[in-house]
Amino acid sequence: MKRTISVEVGKGSVNHNSRKFKAENVDGARSHLNIDYCNERIQDVYQMLFGAAQERFNARQKRVDRRIPNYYEKICTGHQEKPFHEIIIQIGNKDDMSALGENAELAKTVLNEYYQGFQARNPNLYVFSAHLHMDEATPHLHIDFVPFITGSKRGLDTRVSLKQALAAQGFKGGTRSDTEWNQWVRSEKADLAAKMERHGIEWEQKGTHDKHLSVLDYKKQERSCEVQQLGEEIDERRCEVHNLQQQAEKYKQALEDCKLTEDMLETAPEYQLPELPALMSAKTYKTRFVDALVERLKKLAKTLLARYFEVLNDYFRVNANNGKLYHENKNLRADNAWLSQKNDRLKIENRNYSLLRKRLGKQQLDALVEQAKAAKHTTRSKNETRER
């Protein structure tokens, strides 16, 4: 028995997954066959994962406006990270693995085994909602998770980051077609395939991407993942810009300290020489007052010199980073704009494709596509023959 594996990005409708409301494609008479693994309130999950880190972050902030009153709301209203992610895992399709067919229980068994090891395989993806559905056309699994990292040097020391969470699990992207997400999905498919094999199901791999999606749907999904990855890289750049702003605040504070030091030297009693008392010799005056003042001035000079070189070093480092970040941010914005435009074009093409599919019918449209492929192949063969 051969079956395909489908791993798609879900919309994250937790209420639908838990059946608090039912869509038209749900057969309520079979909902009792579903498995509800967990369904935690996401606000509670954020408090559990990030509450202590949020308190530590706020304690370090001298300015009230930089403190984070609610990390979950900050992520929801921001544009760098999604509050959580969802994947939908399915074996086969409605024709060869129907929820009403003889293989329904087999699909349920394999998907259940796959889920049981998901959290252990993915320690940086906290699963708060997971459901195996048997009341739709094909058995499938919804897994909703919050990706997080610990020991971060920017922002909260424990924070949300899909890119960094996957990297912490060993998935480090190299190219746009080999992102952390793509590597992770391939790994999860391989794990599911191993469990399928133990139950006599061979993984039927149809190309390098999921054939349950149309070509246009697949391209659109890939562009969405790339845009998301760019958004995460922009988030990192913004965090670095935030650090630059903090350095600027340090410089401002250093200037204020210099002004205070200047005022102190002019007015503070410990840095002023008293009038020469009557009947006191110059030697005694020097020993009692002048030498003590010189020692205080030496200590102050050493402190100021150390602060100066510290600030100077930070200045050159920050100035170099600023130039680098400017060019990187410029390139990322250009890439993001290009991908967004391409994604918009793919959406239009997908709508046109769906319209043709409805008008011509699936079989006729597929036949036309195959004819076009054959014609293209014939033309290419002729060109190759001429070149020889």
Side-chain angles (χ1 to χ4, degrees):
M1 180 190 298
K2 288 186 177 182
R3 295 294 184 267
T4 56
I5 294 176
S6 169
V7 177
E8 300 181 26
V9 178
K11 295 180 180 179
S13 179
V14 177
N15 287 335
H16 167 72
N17 296 345
S18 61
R19 295 301 186 248
K20 288 185 178 179
F21 73 86
K22 296 181 180 180
E24 294 182 357
N25 62 327
V26 172
D27 181 0
R30 290 188 284 123
S31 294
H32 68 282
L33 300 174
N34 296 345
I35 300 179
D36 298 318
Y37 297 103
C38 61
N39 187 25
E40 299 179 58
R41 185 171 175 266
I42 190 168
Q43 290 86 347
D44 296 336
V45 171
Y46 264 68
Q47 179 59 32
M48 183 269 294
L49 289 176
F50 310 112
Q54 178 182 315
E55 291 180 3
R56 290 191 293 270
F57 175 83
N58 288 339
R60 297 195 301 268
Q61 306 307 310
K62 295 181 179 180
R63 289 174 49 177
V64 177
D65 60 328
R66 287 185 177 170
R67 296 173 186 168
I68 301 174
N70 189 312
Y71 187 55
Y72 174 68
E73 291 182 0
K74 175 179 171 61
I75 295 298
C76 288
T77 56
H79 302 287
Q80 290 78 42
E81 291 283 353
K82 293 174 62 176
F84 69 93
H85 298 260
E86 179 182 274
I87 58 169
I88 305 172
I89 301 96
Q90 178 177 305
I91 301 172
N93 54 51
K94 63 182 179 61
D95 297 322
D96 57 25
M97 219 69 176
S98 170
L100 295 172
E102 60 182 359
N103 293 320
E105 283 301 315
L106 177 60
K108 182 177 183 179
T109 299
V110 176
L111 289 173
N112 178 62
E113 288 184 12
Y114 164 81
Y115 173 74
Q116 296 303 329
F118 184 88
Q119 189 66 87
R121 288 192 308 275
N122 299 283
N124 290 83
L125 310 179
Y126 184 87
V127 178
F128 69 94
S129 178
H131 308 269
L132 199 163
H133 288 162
M134 300 295 293
D135 55 1
E136 297 181 45
T138 309
H140 59 275
L141 182 64
H142 291 261
I143 301 178
D144 296 89
F145 57 84
V146 177
F148 69 95
I149 58 168
T150 59
S152 174
K153 302 299 182 182
R154 295 187 294 270
L156 274 63
D157 50 44
T158 300
R159 63 183 179 89
V160 175
S161 175
L162 177 63
K163 179 184 176 71
Q164 297 300 328
L166 294 179
Q169 294 182 186
F171 303 102
K172 297 184 178 180
T175 63
R176 287 180 181 172
S177 61
D178 192 35
T179 62
E180 293 86 354
W181 178 267
N182 291 342
Q183 292 177 24
W184 176 70
V185 168
R186 288 199 299 269
S187 175
E188 289 299 304
K189 283 184 175 181
D191 184 85
L192 177 56
K195 291 173 173 56
M196 289 164 55
E197 187 174 358
R198 289 201 295 269
H199 290 273
I201 308 174
E202 183 181 349
W203 181 14
E204 183 179 5
Q205 301 185 51
K206 295 183 177 181
T208 59
H209 66 267
D210 188 355
K211 292 294 184 178
H212 291 271
L213 300 172
S214 70
V215 174
L216 292 174
D217 279 335
Y218 171 73
K219 288 182 178 179
K220 185 172 68 174
Q221 179 175 296
E222 287 294 295
R223 296 297 85 75
S224 296
C225 290
E226 290 173 8
V227 169
Q228 179 179 337
Q229 183 182 7
L230 285 172
E232 291 170 356
E233 292 178 5
I234 290 173
D235 178 37
E236 292 182 4
R237 300 292 87 81
R238 284 177 176 170
C239 288
E240 292 174 357
V241 170
H242 175 68
N243 290 338
L244 293 177
Q245 291 173 342
Q246 289 184 323
Q247 292 294 336
E249 288 294 327
K250 287 184 179 180
Y251 301 148
K252 183 179 178 181
Q253 185 62 45
L255 290 175
E256 293 176 357
D257 291 345
C258 287
K259 182 64 171 62
L260 290 173
T261 302
E262 182 182 351
D263 294 340
M264 182 175 63
L265 288 173
E266 292 180 357
T267 60
E270 63 266 30
Y271 292 105
Q272 310 303 317
L273 280 174
E275 295 292 333
L276 179 64
L279 304 178
M280 181 179 287
S281 67
K283 183 177 180 180
T284 303
Y285 180 79
K286 176 179 180 298
T287 302
R288 184 177 297 179
F289 299 109
V290 176
D291 290 347
L293 177 60
V294 169
E295 285 301 316
R296 287 194 293 269
L297 290 173
K298 283 182 179 179
K299 290 180 181 179
L300 180 61
K302 289 179 181 178
T303 301
L304 290 175
L305 194 61
R307 288 289 305 275
Y308 167 75
F309 282 113
E310 180 184 349
V311 170
L312 188 65
N313 180 62
D314 284 346
Y315 169 76
F316 286 118
R317 179 174 58 82
V318 170
N319 198 38
N321 285 341
N322 195 28
K324 177 185 176 183
L325 288 173
Y326 172 79
H327 293 293
E328 288 181 354
N329 199 33
K330 187 176 180 180
N331 293 335
L332 284 172
R333 290 190 180 190
D335 287 347
N336 202 9
W338 178 79
L339 285 171
S340 296
Q341 292 175 357
K342 191 167 185 179
N343 207 21
D344 289 339
R345 291 197 299 271
L346 286 171
K347 287 179 180 178
I348 295 173
E349 292 178 13
N350 195 37
R351 285 198 295 267
N352 294 338
Y353 180 85
S354 299
L355 183 62
L356 283 174
R357 193 183 184 93
K358 290 179 180 178
R359 182 60 60 88
L360 299 176
K362 179 180 182 299
Q363 292 183 348
Q364 186 174 353
L365 184 58
D366 289 345
L368 289 173
V369 171
E370 291 301 322
Q371 290 176 14
K373 288 182 179 178
K376 183 178 180 180
H377 178 72
T378 302
T379 303
R380 183 183 298 171
S381 299
K382 290 181 179 177
N383 291 337
E384 292 176 352
T385 301
R386 290 196 193 100
E387 290 176 359
R388 293 196 190 102

